[in-house]
Amino acid sequence: MNQETVLVTGGAGFIGSNFLPFFLERYNKYHVINLDSLTYAGDIKNLSEIEDNENYQFIKGDICEKNFVLELFRKYNIKHVIHFAAESHVDNSIKNPLAFAETNVMGTLNLLEAARKSWMDQPFQYKEAYKNSRFHHISTDEVYGTLGKEGFFTESTSFAPNSPYSASKAGSDLLVRSYYHTYGLNVITTNCSNNYGPKQHDEKLIPTIIRRAISGEIIPIYGNGQNIRDWLYVLDHCKAIDIAFHKGISGETYLIGGHNEITNLKIAETICNILDQKVPRKTSYHSLITFVEDRPGHDYRYAINPAKITSELNWKADETFETGILKTIEWYLDKYLGEGTN
Ligand code: NAD
C-alpha cells in the first residue's frame, strides 16, 4: 500500500500518547513518525501499546534543531504534520519562561519552515507530490486570556494571553496563521479547553488530586478554588483533531470544548466523593482538601463555545464529565496502587 507519512510531534506527552494509539487503530493508510525529545513531560512507556505497530516509528529529537527538522522532512518524505510538542505547564512557564518561547515559538517556526521548504516551490505553489499536505497545529483556549462569569471564547475572540505559556502558544498560533496568509501553506489550528484522562503527567491538577488523596497527603487547591476550567475528556479531543485534520478548511481555526465548566474545588470534591466509594478510608478524602497560595496571574475562567466545529465538522464530545472522570480515576488508581499493568 502507498502510505503517506505523518509527522506527529510531542507524541510521548499526555494528549499525543492518547492520540497515537487511536489514530493508528483508525487508519492503515498512514505511516506515523512520533518526534519527541522526551523532556520531563514525555514518557515513552505511555506508548508501549503501539511500539510494535509496523505503521509507527519513534524518533527522539528536538523541534528546536532547525537543520535536524528539515533533514527529517527530506529523509522520511513527511507529507503531513500534527504538531503537539510544547512546553505545556503554566506553573513551569512562570519559573522558566525562556524554554517556553524556545519550544513553542521557535520550535513551531522550524516545523513551519521545514514544511514550506519541503512541500512548496514558491508562495501559493505546492509541489505536485505534496499538493494535499497539511500542517495541523494543536493549541489551547488559554491564548484568549480569561473570562468573567459570563460569555464564551469563540474563534473571533481576540488573543489576550496572560501567562508565558499562553503567550508563547499565541505566538505559535500567529506564526501558523501567517504561513497560510503569506505562503498559502495548508494549515489548520485547533484550540482546545483543559483536557483530562489517562497518561497525564503527575504534576497536573487531576493526577495530583488523586495521587495525593490516596497517599493521605493534603490536596492543594490554589486560592479559593473558584477558578473555572472547561474540561474535556482527552479522547474526545483526539477525535476532534482527527475530524479537523481530515475535514477542516485550510486556514481556519476550530475551538474544541465540551461545555463542562467546573471550579477547581468542585473537581477536587467530585474526585473525593468517588474515592470515598471506591477506596474508603477512616476519614473522608474531603478533609485533605487544603487551600494554598494562588498562582500569580491565575486566570479566573475559561469556557468554549464549540458551535463551529459542532455545526461545520459534525464533532461532539462522547463523554460527559461524570463518565470521563470515572474512567480517569480508575486508570490512575491502577497506576498508583499498582493493581494493573499501567
Ligand atoms: P505534555 O507536556 O504532556 O507533552 C508535551 C510533549 O512534547 C512531551 O512528550 C515532550 O517531551 C514533548 N516536547 C517538549 N518540548 C519538545 C521539543 N523541543 N522537541 C520535541 N518534543 C518536545 O503536553 P500535552 O498536555 O500533551 O499538550 C499537547 C499539546 O496540546 C500542547 O501543544 C498544548 O499546548 C496543547 N493543549 C493541551 C491541553 C491540555 O489540557 N493538556 C489543552 C489544550 C491544548
Side-chain angles (χ1 to χ4, degrees):
M1 199 203 325
N2 215 353
Q3 285 185 315
E4 295 191 327
T5 302
V6 180
L7 178 68
V8 170
T9 68
F14 166 43
I15 303 172
S17 65
N18 280 280
F19 177 77
L20 283 169
F22 158 81
F23 195 70
L24 285 161
E25 168 79 27
R26 183 162 278 204
Y27 300 103
N28 215 5
K29 63 179 176 178
Y30 298 123
H31 179 72
V32 180
I33 294 180
N34 171 17
L35 172 65
D36 196 302
S37 61
L38 296 183
T39 67
Y40 79 98
D43 186 352
I44 204 67
K45 291 201 290 297
N46 282 338
L47 295 166
S48 53
E49 71 218 83
I50 54 166
E51 65 188 8
D52 296 327
N53 188 316
E54 57 186 16
N55 292 338
Y56 169 72
Q57 185 177 355
F58 173 70
I59 295 177
K60 186 168 188 286
D62 191 335
I63 60 168
C64 297
E65 287 179 27
K66 187 174 77 176
N67 295 336
F68 161 75
V69 170
L70 185 59
E71 183 51 31
L72 194 84
F73 272 67
R74 300 229 161 105
K75 186 168 174 194
Y76 294 97
N77 190 20
I78 304 294
K79 283 274 169 81
H80 306 282
V81 175
I82 305 180
H83 173 37
F84 293 90
E87 287 290 344
S88 75
H89 193 165
V90 176
D91 287 339
N92 293 343
S93 85
I94 295 167
K95 290 178 209 131
N96 181 17
L98 266 62
F100 284 69
E102 276 159 19
T103 287
N104 300 356
V105 179
M106 286 311 295
T108 301
L109 188 55
N110 287 337
L111 289 162
L112 286 165
E113 267 297 88
R116 179 178 79 81
K117 287 182 172 156
S118 308
W119 300 345
M120 306 185 84
D121 282 325
Q122 55 179 309
F124 298 93
Q125 195 175 312
Y126 263 81
K127 295 174 184 164
E128 183 58 25
Y130 300 95
K131 61 178 194 252
N132 297 319
S133 290
R134 163 159 279 188
F135 189 110
H136 184 150
H137 177 58
I138 310 295
S139 194
T140 165
D141 61 352
E142 299 191 31
V143 297
Y144 298 111
T146 185
L147 290 166
K149 282 197 178 359
E150 305 290 325
F152 296 94
F153 298 135
T154 70
E155 287 76 6
S156 55
T157 304
S158 300
F159 280 11
N162 291 324
S163 72
Y165 164 62
S166 53
S168 65
K169 289 298 289 189
S172 66
D173 292 16
L174 293 174
L175 283 168
V176 171
R177 177 190 153 90
S178 77
Y179 269 63
Y180 174 74
H181 288 279
T182 304
Y183 304 109
L185 195 75
N186 176 359
V187 303
I188 189 157
T189 299
T190 47
N191 295 76
C192 190
S193 60
N194 274 48
N195 283 213
Y196 68 99
K199 304 180 180 176
Q200 193 167 23
H201 194 277
D202 284 350
E203 71 188 359
K204 296 287 181 118
L205 180 69
I206 289 180
T208 297
I209 295 171
I210 302 169
R211 182 170 42 82
R212 288 190 158 247
I214 57 177
S215 54
E217 295 171 65
I218 65 146
I219 299 169
I221 298 294
Y222 281 137
N224 60 7
Q226 293 309 307
N227 300 68
I228 294 169
R229 300 291 178 262
D230 189 350
W231 292 90
L232 185 71
Y233 190 64
V234 63
L235 198 56
D236 280 324
H237 185 190
C238 296
K239 291 173 185 170
I241 292 168
D242 174 30
I243 292 174
F245 174 68
H246 287 102
K247 297 195 189 144
I249 293 171
S250 185
E252 292 289 313
T253 290
Y254 297 89
L255 264 59
I256 307 169
H259 279 305
N260 279 310
E261 284 184 56
I262 311 175
T263 64
N264 289 347
L265 180 58
K266 181 79 185 159
I267 294 272
E269 288 173 346
T270 304
I271 293 172
C272 288
N273 287 342
I274 296 170
L275 291 179
D276 276 341
Q277 285 170 14
K278 282 192 171 292
V279 277
R281 65 200 283 271
K282 264 193 205 135
T283 44
S284 162
Y285 290 96
H286 286 260
S287 63
L288 299 172
I289 295 175
T290 307
F291 295 111
V292 297
E293 188 183 330
D294 209 353
R295 164 193 283 168
H298 200 177
D299 286 340
Y300 168 61
R301 174 173 169 255
Y302 305 141
I304 277 189
N305 177 352
K308 181 175 174 182
I309 193 166
T310 307
S311 63
E312 292 182 16
L313 303 185
N314 208 13
W315 171 85
K316 69 170 182 47
D318 290 328
E319 300 288 344
T320 62
F321 188 72
E322 287 68 31
T323 59
I325 195 68
L326 259 183
K327 288 183 187 178
T328 304
I329 290 175
E330 274 158 16
W331 192 88
Y332 287 100
L333 285 180
D334 220 23
K335 174 178 176 180
Y336 295 138
L337 298 176
E339 289 164 5
T341 51
N342 292 310

